[in-house]
Structure formats: structure tokens, C-alpha cells
Short mmCIF file of all heavy atoms in Angstrom, two decimals:
data_model
loop_
_atom_site.label_atom_id
_atom_site.label_comp_id
_atom_site.label_asym_id
_atom_site.label_seq_id
_atom_site.Cartn_x
_atom_site.Cartn_y
_atom_site.Cartn_z
N THR A 1 0.81 -1.21 0.00
CA THR A 1 0.00 0.00 0.00
C THR A 1 0.85 1.27 0.00
O THR A 1 1.89 1.32 0.66
CB THR A 1 -0.92 0.03 1.23
OG1 THR A 1 -1.77 -1.13 1.22
CG2 THR A 1 -1.79 1.27 1.24
N VAL A 2 0.40 2.26 -0.74
CA VAL A 2 1.00 3.58 -0.75
C VAL A 2 -0.01 4.55 -0.14
O VAL A 2 -1.20 4.47 -0.43
CB VAL A 2 1.38 4.02 -2.18
CG1 VAL A 2 1.79 5.50 -2.19
CG2 VAL A 2 2.52 3.17 -2.70
N PHE A 3 0.47 5.45 0.69
CA PHE A 3 -0.39 6.40 1.38
C PHE A 3 -0.10 7.83 0.95
O PHE A 3 0.99 8.16 0.49
CB PHE A 3 -0.20 6.31 2.89
CG PHE A 3 -0.41 4.94 3.46
CD1 PHE A 3 0.66 4.10 3.68
CD2 PHE A 3 -1.68 4.50 3.78
CE1 PHE A 3 0.48 2.84 4.21
CE2 PHE A 3 -1.88 3.24 4.32
CZ PHE A 3 -0.80 2.40 4.53
N LEU A 4 -1.09 8.68 1.13
CA LEU A 4 -0.90 10.12 0.95
C LEU A 4 -1.52 10.79 2.16
O LEU A 4 -2.73 10.88 2.28
CB LEU A 4 -1.55 10.63 -0.33
CG LEU A 4 -1.30 12.12 -0.62
CD1 LEU A 4 0.18 12.36 -0.92
CD2 LEU A 4 -2.14 12.61 -1.80
N GLN A 5 -0.66 11.24 3.07
CA GLN A 5 -1.12 11.95 4.25
C GLN A 5 -1.27 13.42 3.88
O GLN A 5 -0.31 14.06 3.46
CB GLN A 5 -0.12 11.80 5.40
CG GLN A 5 -0.46 12.60 6.65
CD GLN A 5 -1.77 12.17 7.28
OE1 GLN A 5 -2.67 12.98 7.51
NE2 GLN A 5 -1.91 10.88 7.54
N MET A 6 -2.48 13.93 4.01
CA MET A 6 -2.80 15.29 3.61
C MET A 6 -3.12 16.13 4.84
O MET A 6 -4.10 15.88 5.53
CB MET A 6 -3.98 15.29 2.64
CG MET A 6 -3.81 14.34 1.46
SD MET A 6 -5.31 14.16 0.46
CE MET A 6 -5.38 15.77 -0.33
N ASN A 7 -2.29 17.11 5.11
CA ASN A 7 -2.47 18.01 6.23
C ASN A 7 -2.62 19.45 5.74
O ASN A 7 -2.26 19.77 4.61
CB ASN A 7 -1.29 17.93 7.20
CG ASN A 7 -1.09 16.56 7.80
OD1 ASN A 7 0.03 16.01 7.77
ND2 ASN A 7 -2.15 15.99 8.34
N SER A 8 -3.14 20.30 6.61
CA SER A 8 -3.33 21.72 6.28
C SER A 8 -4.02 21.88 4.93
O SER A 8 -3.58 22.64 4.07
CB SER A 8 -1.98 22.45 6.29
OG SER A 8 -1.34 22.34 7.54
N LEU A 9 -5.09 21.16 4.75
CA LEU A 9 -5.80 21.15 3.47
C LEU A 9 -6.32 22.52 3.08
O LEU A 9 -6.73 23.31 3.92
CB LEU A 9 -6.95 20.15 3.53
CG LEU A 9 -6.55 18.68 3.45
CD1 LEU A 9 -7.72 17.79 3.83
CD2 LEU A 9 -6.06 18.34 2.04
N LYS A 10 -6.29 22.77 1.79
CA LYS A 10 -6.78 24.00 1.21
C LYS A 10 -7.86 23.69 0.19
O LYS A 10 -7.89 22.60 -0.38
CB LYS A 10 -5.64 24.76 0.51
CG LYS A 10 -4.48 25.12 1.40
CD LYS A 10 -3.38 25.81 0.60
CE LYS A 10 -2.21 26.19 1.49
NZ LYS A 10 -1.14 26.87 0.72
N PRO A 11 -8.76 24.64 -0.08
CA PRO A 11 -9.80 24.42 -1.10
C PRO A 11 -9.20 24.03 -2.45
O PRO A 11 -9.83 23.29 -3.21
CB PRO A 11 -10.51 25.77 -1.17
CG PRO A 11 -10.38 26.31 0.21
CD PRO A 11 -8.98 25.92 0.63
N GLU A 12 -8.01 24.52 -2.75
CA GLU A 12 -7.34 24.20 -4.00
C GLU A 12 -6.95 22.73 -4.11
O GLU A 12 -6.61 22.26 -5.19
CB GLU A 12 -6.07 25.06 -4.18
CG GLU A 12 -6.32 26.55 -4.08
CD GLU A 12 -6.12 27.08 -2.68
OE1 GLU A 12 -7.11 27.10 -1.90
OE2 GLU A 12 -4.99 27.49 -2.35
N ASP A 13 -6.99 22.00 -3.00
CA ASP A 13 -6.67 20.58 -3.00
C ASP A 13 -7.85 19.73 -3.47
O ASP A 13 -7.71 18.52 -3.66
CB ASP A 13 -6.25 20.11 -1.61
CG ASP A 13 -4.95 20.75 -1.14
OD1 ASP A 13 -4.02 20.87 -1.96
OD2 ASP A 13 -4.85 21.10 0.05
N THR A 14 -8.98 20.35 -3.66
CA THR A 14 -10.19 19.65 -4.10
C THR A 14 -10.00 19.02 -5.48
O THR A 14 -9.44 19.64 -6.38
CB THR A 14 -11.39 20.61 -4.14
OG1 THR A 14 -11.70 21.02 -2.80
CG2 THR A 14 -12.62 19.93 -4.74
N GLY A 15 -10.46 17.80 -5.63
CA GLY A 15 -10.38 17.12 -6.91
C GLY A 15 -10.47 15.62 -6.77
O GLY A 15 -10.56 15.09 -5.67
N MET A 16 -10.45 14.94 -7.90
CA MET A 16 -10.42 13.48 -7.90
C MET A 16 -8.96 13.05 -7.82
O MET A 16 -8.14 13.49 -8.63
CB MET A 16 -11.07 12.93 -9.17
CG MET A 16 -11.21 11.41 -9.19
SD MET A 16 -12.44 10.79 -8.01
CE MET A 16 -13.95 11.31 -8.82
N TYR A 17 -8.65 12.22 -6.85
CA TYR A 17 -7.28 11.74 -6.66
C TYR A 17 -7.11 10.33 -7.18
O TYR A 17 -7.89 9.44 -6.86
CB TYR A 17 -6.91 11.80 -5.17
CG TYR A 17 -6.56 13.19 -4.70
CD1 TYR A 17 -7.54 14.18 -4.61
CD2 TYR A 17 -5.25 13.53 -4.36
CE1 TYR A 17 -7.23 15.46 -4.20
CE2 TYR A 17 -4.93 14.81 -3.94
CZ TYR A 17 -5.92 15.77 -3.87
OH TYR A 17 -5.60 17.05 -3.45
N TYR A 18 -6.07 10.15 -7.99
CA TYR A 18 -5.79 8.86 -8.60
C TYR A 18 -4.42 8.34 -8.19
O TYR A 18 -3.47 9.10 -8.07
CB TYR A 18 -5.80 8.97 -10.13
CG TYR A 18 -7.11 9.41 -10.72
CD1 TYR A 18 -7.39 10.75 -10.95
CD2 TYR A 18 -8.08 8.47 -11.08
CE1 TYR A 18 -8.58 11.15 -11.50
CE2 TYR A 18 -9.28 8.86 -11.64
CZ TYR A 18 -9.52 10.21 -11.85
OH TYR A 18 -10.72 10.61 -12.41
N CYS A 19 -4.34 7.04 -7.99
CA CYS A 19 -3.08 6.37 -7.73
C CYS A 19 -2.58 5.77 -9.03
O CYS A 19 -3.37 5.30 -9.85
CB CYS A 19 -3.29 5.26 -6.69
SG CYS A 19 -1.81 4.31 -6.28
N ALA A 20 -1.27 5.82 -9.26
CA ALA A 20 -0.70 5.29 -10.49
C ALA A 20 0.60 4.55 -10.21
O ALA A 20 1.29 4.84 -9.23
CB ALA A 20 -0.45 6.43 -11.49
N ALA A 21 0.94 3.60 -11.08
CA ALA A 21 2.15 2.81 -10.92
C ALA A 21 2.87 2.65 -12.25
O ALA A 21 2.23 2.59 -13.31
CB ALA A 21 1.83 1.44 -10.33
N ALA A 22 4.19 2.57 -12.19
CA ALA A 22 5.00 2.41 -13.39
C ALA A 22 6.33 1.75 -13.04
O ALA A 22 6.62 1.48 -11.88
CB ALA A 22 5.26 3.77 -14.04
N ASN A 23 7.12 1.49 -14.06
CA ASN A 23 8.46 0.95 -13.85
C ASN A 23 9.28 1.93 -13.02
O ASN A 23 9.09 3.14 -13.10
CB ASN A 23 9.13 0.71 -15.21
CG ASN A 23 10.47 0.00 -15.09
OD1 ASN A 23 11.48 0.61 -14.77
ND2 ASN A 23 10.47 -1.30 -15.34
N GLY A 24 10.19 1.41 -12.22
CA GLY A 24 10.99 2.24 -11.35
C GLY A 24 11.81 3.31 -12.04
O GLY A 24 12.16 4.32 -11.43
#
């Protein structure tokens, strides 16, 4: 699992969040 800890959120952070993976 990969996490995204989001603190001090702003209205500009609004949106659909997607996880992605690729070759190293």
C-alpha cells in the first residue's frame, strides 16, 4: 500500500485523486 497523508488542506486541493504505478 502507498499512502498520501494530507495536512493543512486548502480548497485548491479539491479534486479526484488517482493512484498510479510504473516501472521504477
Side-chain angles (χ1 to χ4, degrees):
T1 301
V2 171
F3 304 96
L4 184 66
Q5 176 63 234
M6 308 171 71
N7 300 129
S8 302
L9 285 167
K10 301 178 180 180
E12 305 93 270
D13 295 319
T14 294
M16 186 70 73
Y17 282 69
Y18 299 91
C19 179
N23 187 281

